[in-house]
């Protein structure tokens, strides 16, 4: 699931932002429910807690996406370095290969 989210362009920063936003929305819904609903403080608490429970999920998904991003970055860097090693080895072989008899480089 995390790989699918990453492929769709969702990054760890997005999830961290949603986690922080859910804290603010949780407080706002609690405050608004407390002020404008006649159901009382119990209902306001339930609204605040319901939305507040999203926060750890968003942060956990942000951490998982961060690991995915780091893993991909390291894999890309390793592929790049492996390609460079092959080029260097190929160039080294070319330089140490003796020239055919009678020709000079």
């Amino acid at each position: 699931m995390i790989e699918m989210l990453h492929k769709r362009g969702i990054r760890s920063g997005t999830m961290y932002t949603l986690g922080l936003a859910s804290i603010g929305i949780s407080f706002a819904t609690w405050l608004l429910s407390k002020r404008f609903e006649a159901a009382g403080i119990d209902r306001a608490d339930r609204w605040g807690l319901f939305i507040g429970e999203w926060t750890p999920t968003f942060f956990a998904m942000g951490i998982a996406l961060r690991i995915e991003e780091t893993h991909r970055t390291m894999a890309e860097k390793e592929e790049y370095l492996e390609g460079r090693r092959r080029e260097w080895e190929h160039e080294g072989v070319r330089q140490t290969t003796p020239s055919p008899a009678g020709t000079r480089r």
Side-chain angles (χ1 to χ4, degrees):
M1 181 175 108
I2 297 301
E3 186 176 350
M4 179 195 68
L5 290 172
H6 189 267
K7 284 180 181 178
R8 292 188 182 259
I10 299 174
R11 301 294 183 250
S12 59
T14 305
M15 288 297 167
Y16 295 142
T17 302
L18 289 173
L20 289 172
S22 70
I23 293 170
I25 293 169
S26 173
F27 178 72
T29 57
W30 174 80
L31 188 62
L32 292 171
S33 179
K34 182 180 164 191
R35 286 196 178 199
F36 297 112
E37 285 189 334
I41 191 80
D42 291 340
R43 175 104 179 234
D45 287 345
R46 283 191 292 273
W47 269 110
L49 289 173
F50 172 70
I51 295 175
E53 288 175 354
W54 301 349
T55 303
T57 303
F58 286 132
F59 283 133
M61 290 176 70
I63 290 168
L65 282 166
R66 182 65 177 160
I67 291 169
E68 179 73 17
E69 293 163 6
T70 303
H71 174 73
R72 286 187 181 275
T73 302
M74 290 175 63
E76 289 168 0
K77 195 178 290 185
E78 185 60 36
E79 286 175 12
Y80 171 77
L81 291 175
E82 186 60 34
R84 293 294 294 162
R85 280 188 206 113
R86 283 190 208 127
E87 289 175 16
W88 293 332
E89 289 171 359
H90 185 66
E91 288 173 4
V93 169
R94 226 180 323 154
Q95 291 173 356
T96 60
T97 304
S99 57
T103 61
R104 295 187 180 214
R105 283 191 174 184

